[in-house]
């Protein structure tokens, strides 16, 4: 008697169509990026990376509180812009998309290469969730240091628990994964907490210590240490000038804890639900990466204390990916209460993300967005009054100098992207921090010195003054920017050559006598 034939196993449609879904996400993401201006931080990095290609010294000719690795990674965009005239607003999304697709392709190969460690359906869910965040959910965070740190660290992060379980990688693959993670996590020092937390979680779960010393961790650590040593040797000005600035004055860019926490409160709830549901049921290896990784990136976000949307990108990405994995890849959530809890986590996370992307695109799109309209207006003003000459902006953030400087015939006239000391001056005068009169005078003198040097060196034809009608002008403080700087006699004398000629929604425009169109 022959055994009855077994019916074929139903095809997993999600897995079967995964690359069609990813390609649709890619097309949508690129359509969004190509119809918005490049992020102000990326515009500044690419613009000033071109200075480095011409021999400028980081920390002397280019001033920024962040370590220089992001500028080195921007050399391809700067070179394409310099040599071929390719707009960084085009090259940056294309390069980031190519990197994201390469990482996703590698992750998609894991179930085929190591099926015992990476079941196909859970991995498909993870890849699709990550693809959404890397191509659409990132919004204007595409290419930011958080984006690249999370992207470059993904292979190391997702492979870590399986390495404790006994997965064997070739030496070449392990070195490549470790070096890639080293590059990503070295972009900001606080990112290094991520591999530490993920490794500790795997060590505690498997009660093993030896896998900690595997090849990719040595490669990661070697890159981070080598990069730190190279900064000390090759960029000493960063250590002697910018690190003390960050320690003494960067507090002024911080936002209130209420704002920082409330900005991600829903996603913190999602992470707690993920952890609770995993504790109550099975704990697949992928969750040993996603939940500790999300918690570590949350710690990084909180440590920065600014509440910027892109700072929270890696945390949101891993938390919502974990929630989707809990809901769709397991059959152990049988109690209605737990299933409903998982559904709430998934719905809240993804609806919030889509809402945030929509809100950003509404103001940023080049067709009718308010932010884009003001940027175009500023480009026209600078081309009319400062073509071939320098311009400056009195504000504490890279905008409006960037991305405007990428698209105008005027030249940015400062070594920095904004007035770095201005927030500290404004908040000290508002009484936000108790300091002695001598310390306050030193801060104000440094602020005056920085602007005076820029005015004398570049002799800008146009100066843009941030003066919004409906919001504080400096880091949540109502502050008379122009009044403060004109307290310096030299700056006041220079300013007398300028006349206010135009106004956008948030900026007053001052043109120097004798400039084109004055």
């Amino acid at each position: 008697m022959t055994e009855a034939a077994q019916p074929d196993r139903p095809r997993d449609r999600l897995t079967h169509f995964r690359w069609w879904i990813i390609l649709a996400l890619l097309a949508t993401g690129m359509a969004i990026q190509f119809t918005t201006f490049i992020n102000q931080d990326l515009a500044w990095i690419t613009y000033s990376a071109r200075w480095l290609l011409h021999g400028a010294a980081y920390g002397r000719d280019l001033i920024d509180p962040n370590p220089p690795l992001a500028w080195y990674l921007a050399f391809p965009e700067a070179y394409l812009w310099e040599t071929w005239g390719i707009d960084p607003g085009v090259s940056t999304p294309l390069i980031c998309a190519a990197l994201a697709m390469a990482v996703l392709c590698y992750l998609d190969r894991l179930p085929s290469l190591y099926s015992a460690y990476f079941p196909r359906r859970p991995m498909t869910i993870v890849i699709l969730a990550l693809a959404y965040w890397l191509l659409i959910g990132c919004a204007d965070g595409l290419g930011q240091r958080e984006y690249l740190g999370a992207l470059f660290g993904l292979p190391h992060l997702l492979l870590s628990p399986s390495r404790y379980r006994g997965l064997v990688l070739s030496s070449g693959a392990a070195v490549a994964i470790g070096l890639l993670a080293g590059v990503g996590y070295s972009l900001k020092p606080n990112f290094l907490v991520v591999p530490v937390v993920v490794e500790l979680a795997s060590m505690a779960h498997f009660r093993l210590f030896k896998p900690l010393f595997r090849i990719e961790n040595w490669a990661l650590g070697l890159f981070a240490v080598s990069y730190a040593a190279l900064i000390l040797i090759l960029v000493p000005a960063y250590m002697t000038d910018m690190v003390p600035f960050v320690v003494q004055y960067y507090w002024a860019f911080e936002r209130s804890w209420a704002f920082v926490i409330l900005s991600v409160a829903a996603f913190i709830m999602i992470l707690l639900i993920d952890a609770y549901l995993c504790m109550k049921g099975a704990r697949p290896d992928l969750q040993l990466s996603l939940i500790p990784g999300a918690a570590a990136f949350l710690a990084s976000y909180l440590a920065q204390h600014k509440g910027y949307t892109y700072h929270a990108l890696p945390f949101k990405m891993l938390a919502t990916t974990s929630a989707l994995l809990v809901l769709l890849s397991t059959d152990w959530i049988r109690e209605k209460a737990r299933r409903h809890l998982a559904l709430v986590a998934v719905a809240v996370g993804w609806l919030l993300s889509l809402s945030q992307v929509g809100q950003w695109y509404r103001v940023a799109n080049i067709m009718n967005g308010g932010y884009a309209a003001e940027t175009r207006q500023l480009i026209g003003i600078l081309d009319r009054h400062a073509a071939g000459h320098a311009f400056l902006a009195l504000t504490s953030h890279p905008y409006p100098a960037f991305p405007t400087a990428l698209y105008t015939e005027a030249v940015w006239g400062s070594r920095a992207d904004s007035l770095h000391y201005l927030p500290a001056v404004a908040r000290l005068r508002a009484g936000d921090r108790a300091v002695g009169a001598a310390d306050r005078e030193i801060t104000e003198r440094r602020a005056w010195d920085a602007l005076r040097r820029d005015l004398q060196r570049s002799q800008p034809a146009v100066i843009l003054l941030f003066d919004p009608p409906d919001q504080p002008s400096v880091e949540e403080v109502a502050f008379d920017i122009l009044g403060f700087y004109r307290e310096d006699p030299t700056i006041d004398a220079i300013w007398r050559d300028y006349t206010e000629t135009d106004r956008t929604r948030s900026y007053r425009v001052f043109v120097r006598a004798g400039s084109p169109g004055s």
Side-chain angles (χ1 to χ4, degrees), residues 418-435:
S418 59
L419 301 172
H420 290 160
Y421 289 98
L422 180 58
V425 170
R427 296 186 67 171
L428 287 174
R429 286 197 171 190
D432 285 3
R433 176 173 287 197
V435 298

Side-chain angles (χ1 to χ4, degrees), residues 140-279:
D140 63 338
L142 182 85
Q144 285 276 20
R145 280 155 286 198
E146 277 72 12
Y147 179 95
L148 295 177
L151 174 64
F152 291 167
L154 278 174
H156 180 275
L157 184 143
L158 294 176
L159 281 164
S160 180
S162 297
R163 293 286 272 158
Y164 279 83
R165 195 180 288 279
L167 172 65
V168 177
L169 292 176
S170 68
S171 297
V175 169
I177 289 168
L179 289 177
L180 187 65
V183 173
Y185 294 142
S186 296
L187 283 163
K188 286 188 177 181
N190 41 289
F191 291 169
L192 291 170
V193 71
V194 177
V196 172
V197 170
V198 172
E199 292 296 320
L200 289 175
S202 293
M203 287 170 57
H205 179 76
F206 294 105
R207 301 180 184 274
L208 293 173
F209 185 71
K210 187 176 179 180
L212 175 65
F213 299 98
R214 61 191 187 273
I215 295 176
E216 59 263 41
N217 284 354
W218 282 109
L220 191 163
L222 180 63
F223 181 91
V225 171
S226 300
Y227 170 57
L230 286 173
I231 292 177
L232 292 171
I233 297 169
L234 301 179
V235 198
Y238 177 78
M239 301 302 299
T240 57
D241 297 338
M242 292 316 302
V243 170
F245 164 81
V246 171
V247 172
Q248 296 176 36
Y249 299 110
Y250 222 44
W251 61 269
F253 288 88
E254 296 174 353
R255 308 291 291 273
S256 68
W257 276 116
F259 175 83
V260 171
I261 294 173
L262 287 175
S263 297
V264 295
F267 292 90
I268 293 175
M269 178 199 72
I270 291 169
L271 181 61
L272 293 175
I273 291 174
D274 297 344
Y276 167 76
L277 291 174
C278 285
M279 288 173 60

Side-chain angles (χ1 to χ4, degrees), residues 448 451-452 455 482-498:
W448 287 323
L451 180 59
R452 189 188 314 116
L455 290 170
L482 182 57
F484 162 72
Y485 280 109
R486 294 194 70 172
E487 291 176 20
D488 178 81
T490 304
I491 294 176
D492 183 62
I494 293 173
W495 198 268
R496 292 173 188 169
D497 290 336
Y498 289 83

Side-chain angles (χ1 to χ4, degrees), residues 106 109-119 159 167-170 173:
Y106 176 75
R109 289 284 296 157
L110 293 179
S112 300
L113 296 172
Y114 313 108
S115 58
Y117 300 94
F118 295 98
L159 281 164
L167 172 65
V168 177
L169 292 176
S170 68

